[in-house]
Amino acid sequence: MSADSESQQDAGDPAGPSAGEIRLELENADLRQLLAQAGIDAAQHDLAEKLQRVVLEELHHRVKNTLAIVLAISTQSLRSSTDVNQAAAAISSRILALGRAHDLLLQTGWNGARLEDLIRGAIAPFETPAAKQFIFEPADLEINPTSALRLVMTINELCTNAVKYGALTRPEGRVEITTKIDAAKQSLLLTWTETNGPPVQKPARKSFGMQLIEKSFAEGARVSFNPSGVVCEFNLPLAVIQVPVPNPAARIA
């Protein structure tokens, strides 16, 4: 074979790429893959930072709201109490009730909680299983976070008053809690009725607990001090208290 022929073979076969060209193409492919992965990683990192910022802002908002509630509870409890021990007991009871509501909401990612779970959780610390003093008829309803906190705090106040002055001061005392949905008016009717307790008289002044009960749901609450027992009625618009129900038609559209 002549030297010219060998030189032509070394220059490469015109029918296909040389080994050097194949190696260069593979290196370029690896480089392109690395660059693509770097772009994906950068995008994911940016998304993670944005998500973290949203979570921190939401956490900051909720912590501020909770601290404001705790401050209001503490301040008003101190103002309406006759001594330090009474104030301490009131503050402890209210903050524990707030904590129980938070526990339920955390289980659902703060998306709301079932009405039955909220009320059963609120009355649990005051319940004596053997006595069966609570009669509860739950409606099937999901309550939004804001209304859930108000509802639990309200039921806690009613229970506290019943333990101090009402039906829960006696073993034979009973508390009936009924919850019914009025489909026509699109509202929840919640009634608290005490029976078999001591005779009831309207207090000379409104305590912080009673103010909390009446103001938790604005004009939706009515408290009656009947001689046979306290009756508290709530007429709550579903649009205000319920977790929004997705519209299937809107989802299809």
Side-chain angles (χ1 to χ4, degrees):
M1 184 180 293
S2 66
D4 290 342
S5 177
E6 290 179 355
S7 176
Q8 289 174 357
Q9 287 183 353
D10 290 341
D13 184 359
S18 66
E21 289 172 334
I22 293 174
R23 186 167 59 252
L24 181 60
E25 182 61 28
L26 289 174
E27 289 175 354
N28 286 339
D30 289 341
L31 181 59
R32 285 194 296 270
Q33 185 177 4
L34 288 172
L35 289 173
Q37 185 62 46
I40 293 172
D41 290 344
Q44 290 178 339
H45 180 70
D46 184 53
L47 181 61
E49 283 189 338
K50 290 180 179 178
L51 180 59
Q52 183 182 43
R53 189 158 54 249
V54 170
V55 170
L56 287 174
E57 288 173 355
E58 180 65 17
L59 179 62
H60 176 66
H61 174 69
R62 289 182 184 174
V63 168
K64 283 184 67 177
N65 282 350
T66 302
L67 290 175
I69 293 172
V70 170
L71 179 61
I73 287 172
S74 302
T75 302
Q76 295 297 333
S77 297
L78 287 168
R79 284 179 182 173
S80 60
S81 299
T82 56
D83 57 60
V84 175
N85 290 334
Q86 184 184 16
I91 291 170
S92 176
S93 174
R94 287 162 182 156
I95 291 179
L96 286 173
L98 184 65
R100 288 191 294 272
H102 275 243
D103 287 342
L104 284 172
L105 290 170
L106 283 172
Q107 291 174 16
T108 64
W110 210 263
N111 291 319
R114 292 175 65 235
L115 175 65
E116 180 177 1
D117 294 338
L118 289 168
I119 293 182
R120 290 200 186 281
I123 66 177
F126 303 91
E127 197 165 19
T128 304
K132 296 182 179 180
Q133 290 182 284
F134 286 94
I135 304 167
F136 178 34
E137 299 176 12
D140 186 13
L141 195 64
E142 291 282 333
I143 307 297
N144 64 49
T146 300
S147 298
L149 293 176
R150 292 175 179 175
L151 179 62
V152 168
M153 298 300 293
T154 298
I155 296 298
N156 180 76
E157 292 303 321
L158 288 168
C159 286
T160 301
N161 287 338
V163 166
K164 287 182 177 180
Y165 315 110
L168 299 183
T169 60
R170 297 178 175 179
E172 66 274 16
R174 295 292 180 270
V175 175
E176 183 176 5
I177 306 171
T178 59
T179 56
K180 297 179 181 179
I181 296 175
D182 187 330
K185 296 182 179 179
Q186 284 294 288
S187 62
L188 172 69
L189 306 176
L190 188 155
T191 305
W192 167 286
T193 306
E194 297 181 30
T195 55
N196 298 337
V200 172
Q201 291 183 344
K202 187 175 182 178
R205 66 181 183 88
K206 284 187 179 181
S207 65
F208 168 60
M210 192 53 59
Q211 292 178 42
L212 190 153
I213 292 168
E214 292 180 341
K215 293 180 180 180
S216 288
F217 295 100
E219 287 78 24
R222 185 177 66 184
V223 182
S224 302
F225 295 92
N226 301 331
S228 58
V230 170
V231 176
C232 189
E233 297 172 297
F234 300 90
N235 191 343
L236 311 175
L238 294 181
V240 174
I241 66 168
Q242 189 176 19
V243 171
V245 179
N247 185 348
R251 192 163 54 239
I252 292 172

